[in-house]
Amino acid sequence: MIIIVLTNTFNQKHVIGSLRRLKVAEEKIIAEGGTLSYRGLFWKIIVLVLILTGGEIIMMVYYMLTTNYMASLSPLGAISSWFWIFYPITLTSLARLWFIALMAIPEMFFDAINSILTTTGDALEALEEFPARKLTKEPIFNEFLGQKLLRMCQLHGEVGKISLAINHVFHVENLLANIFTILLTVTLMYFIYLAALNQQIPPLFRSVDNMTLSVFYVIFGLWKVFYVIFVASEVKRKAQLTGSCLHQIAVAVDEVPCYRLINQLSIQIWQQRLEFPVGGFFLLDMSTIGAFSGAILVYVIILIQFNLAGGT
């Protein structure tokens, strides 16, 4: 928790800078006719706060009620212990909301850009000149359409750079959270196995005797990590959809100058493809969830084999 607090303190100016850049991008999207609504993001944050806080409270209350933890403490000691255990754990979980909320804004911007391009393509397809393949028809592609496509592509690049900057601000926090969750998950799953066999467990992990609480903690911890990865992968997916929206316009216009411009813009978008590295160790995308799950299972199986072979 101390590292996360220090990291967020040092990165405040970068977060403020990202918010200012997002505000400029928002004004450009609105100027192009896009619509943005933060109501969905607001309710998403409220729901996540309730889930994260509620999950930690459920685990703490269930642990204290199903063990003799409270019996050995005075009422004041129990309240003090509750505060010093619950507060840092919950604060660490809620700190991830900064990354989730900030990354949700570029995702919304990419949605707006794709919506503008899709609307433009639908409007071109609805024209009487579509498809404009006959020489007797006047060309659909003009300077106005070309400039609009250039502006949208530039805006796409700006939003992508902002999302990369946001990822860079929180990459230390995401790295530590992922490493800690993987190590703790492997450890808990192994000791859950030992508890199921009534084998000796270190005092630090005696809580695994409560099977329900331990399984809930493993699932809840993995969900917190995997949801962060899912949010980042959604930003990447929405950014990749822009190329398809551009080619819809090219097919609707069906003119050589338009194809040339769309191809150039597609190459530019492809070269600016989003990847969210975490300290250079891994990427925040859906393949990482599969890699983490496989690594956790492999290490747990290795520990179980050592136990069966008497290597404990």
Side-chain angles (χ1 to χ4, degrees):
M1 186 194 75
I2 296 176
I3 297 176
I4 292 176
V5 171
L6 291 176
T7 303
N8 290 338
T9 302
F10 290 135
N11 289 327
Q12 279 184 356
K13 61 178 182 180
H14 300 294
V15 173
I16 295 174
S18 298
L19 290 174
R20 291 174 178 171
R21 295 171 65 185
L22 287 171
K23 180 63 177 178
V24 174
E26 176 187 12
E27 294 173 352
K28 292 181 179 180
I29 291 175
I30 294 176
E32 293 294 337
T35 56
L36 298 171
S37 175
Y38 292 91
R39 182 178 298 274
L41 178 58
F42 171 79
W43 286 109
K44 179 189 290 187
I45 294 175
I46 295 297
V47 171
L48 288 175
V49 168
L50 294 176
I51 292 176
L52 293 173
T53 307
E56 301 294 349
I57 291 176
I58 289 173
M59 286 190 295
M60 289 290 296
V61 172
Y62 188 80
Y63 175 74
M64 291 183 174
L65 292 179
T66 56
T67 62
N68 58 355
Y69 178 80
M70 298 290 292
S72 60
L73 297 174
S74 63
L76 182 60
I79 296 174
S80 177
S81 177
W82 169 279
F83 177 80
W84 289 111
I85 295 175
F86 173 76
Y87 177 74
I89 294 176
T90 306
L91 184 61
T92 303
S93 298
L94 293 178
R96 304 183 187 185
L97 285 179
W98 276 103
F99 178 78
I100 294 173
L102 289 175
M103 289 296 283
I105 298 177
E107 178 187 353
M108 184 169 53
F109 285 4
F110 282 127
D111 257 338
I113 293 173
N114 295 337
S115 178
I116 294 173
L117 293 174
T118 301
T119 302
T120 303
D122 293 340
L124 291 171
E125 291 179 356
L127 293 175
E128 294 180 357
E129 291 83 358
F130 173 77
R133 298 186 177 91
K134 297 182 179 180
L135 297 177
T136 55
K137 297 289 186 179
E138 294 183 359
I140 299 176
F141 186 74
N142 51 33
E143 184 178 358
F144 174 79
L145 180 57
Q147 291 297 322
K148 181 175 183 178
L149 295 179
L150 287 173
R151 290 195 304 271
M152 298 306 299
C153 188
Q154 292 173 355
L155 185 56
H156 180 279
E158 293 176 8
V159 176
K161 291 178 181 178
I162 295 172
S163 61
L164 291 175
I166 294 173
N167 176 73
H168 181 72
V169 170
F170 292 93
H171 76 281
V172 174
E173 177 183 333
N174 288 332
L175 176 62
L176 294 177
N178 281 273
I179 293 176
F180 175 78
T181 302
I182 290 175
L183 293 177
L184 185 60
T185 300
V186 171
T187 305
L188 285 177
M189 291 180 68
Y190 175 64
F191 286 130
I192 288 173
Y193 163 78
L194 295 183
L197 298 179
N198 295 321
Q199 296 187 12
Q200 185 176 3
I201 300 171
L204 183 62
F205 293 94
R206 286 289 169 80
S207 60
V208 298
D209 290 334
N210 191 324
M211 190 71 66
T212 303
L213 179 65
S214 301
V215 172
F216 179 81
Y217 189 83
V218 169
I219 295 175
F220 187 63
L222 290 176
W223 175 83
K224 289 189 290 186
V225 170
F226 289 169
Y227 187 76
V228 170
I229 297 175
F230 171 76
V231 169
S233 66
E234 280 297 293
V235 177
K236 177 181 176 181
R237 186 180 67 84
K238 296 294 177 61
Q240 293 174 339
L241 289 177
T242 305
S244 300
C245 298
L246 285 173
H247 281 279
Q248 178 189 1
I249 295 176
V251 173
V253 175
D254 195 26
E255 294 176 6
V256 174
C258 184
Y259 278 120
R260 290 176 179 173
L261 178 61
I262 294 296
N263 288 335
Q264 293 176 0
L265 297 180
S266 298
I267 294 174
Q268 180 179 343
I269 291 176
W270 182 81
Q271 291 177 341
Q272 296 174 346
R273 63 187 184 277
L274 293 182
E275 299 288 352
F276 299 114
V278 180
F281 292 96
F282 53 88
L283 300 175
L284 293 178
D285 57 23
M286 296 303 290
S287 62
T288 304
I289 295 180
F292 282 176
S293 302
I296 290 171
L297 291 176
V298 167
Y299 285 122
V300 171
I301 291 173
I302 291 174
L303 291 173
I304 292 174
Q305 289 177 339
F306 272 108
N307 179 68
L308 294 176
T312 57

